[in-house]
């Protein structure tokens, strides 16, 4: 009689297939965590830039308001467009547009824009200024 080797059904150790499946699951989980972290950082940077852009737009609008308050209406309406509200960091661009809607009302739009890896974005504020001498 030949001696047949019998295979035991009680195996100890890990098969190659189990190792591959475990590695695949680990890679998927780690990739998901990296993606979530990257997205979170990108959103955080966007929120920071959005907050700064809005702050710079508000700052310019306040300077325009102060310029109006410190000058006559004629000086304000004649000098609003060339009036420079100041510099912003290189990442941002600030543009101020003044439009005289009627002799006693001016619209001022301040737009702060910036570019990041997700594209170009902007924060825009619009205010209407009126001739204060009419109030007195």
């Amino acid at each position: 009689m030949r001696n047949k080797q019998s295979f035991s059904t009680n195996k100890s150790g890990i098969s190659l297939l189990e190792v591959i499946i475990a590695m695949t699951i680990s890679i998927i989980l780690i990739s998901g965590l990296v993606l979530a972290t990257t997205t979170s950082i990108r959103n955080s940077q966007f929120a920071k830039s959005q907050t700064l852009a809005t702050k710079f737009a508000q700052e310019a609008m306040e300077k325009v308001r102060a310029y109006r308050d410190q000058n006559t209406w004629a000086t304000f309406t004649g000098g609003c467009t060339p009036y420079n509200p100041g510099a912003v960091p290189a990442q941002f661009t600030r543009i101020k547009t003044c439009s005289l809607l009627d002799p006693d009302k001016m619209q001022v739009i301040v737009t702060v824009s910036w570019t990041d890896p997700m594209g170009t974005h902007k924060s825009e504020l619009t205010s209407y200024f009126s001739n204060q001498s009419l109030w007195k």
Side-chain angles (χ1 to χ4, degrees), residues 13-119:
I14 303 173
S15 72
L16 181 61
L17 181 60
E18 290 170 329
V19 170
I20 291 173
I21 290 172
M23 287 180 63
T24 302
I25 291 171
S26 296
I27 289 171
I28 290 171
L29 289 174
I30 290 171
S31 296
L33 291 173
V34 168
L35 180 64
T37 303
T38 303
T39 302
S40 176
I41 290 170
R42 188 180 324 126
N43 288 341
S44 174
Q45 289 171 341
F46 174 78
K48 179 181 175 184
S49 295
Q50 180 73 36
T51 300
L52 284 172
T54 302
K55 177 184 164 258
F56 294 140
Q58 289 172 338
E59 174 187 62
M61 199 62 78
E62 288 302 317
K63 287 183 178 182
V64 169
R65 182 172 284 108
Y67 182 74
R68 182 212 45 195
D69 293 347
Q70 295 169 359
N71 293 285
T72 65
W73 182 250
T75 302
F76 173 67
T77 57
C80 182
T81 301
Y83 172 72
N84 182 359
V88 291
Q91 172 189 0
F92 298 95
T93 303
R94 180 165 55 190
I95 299 170
K96 176 182 54 68
T97 307
C98 300
S99 304
L100 193 59
L101 301 178
D102 65 46
D104 293 315
K105 185 177 181 182
M106 178 173 287
Q107 178 187 46
V108 178
I109 301 172
V110 178
T111 305
V112 178
S113 58
W114 73 98
T115 302
D116 63 14
M118 295 176 5

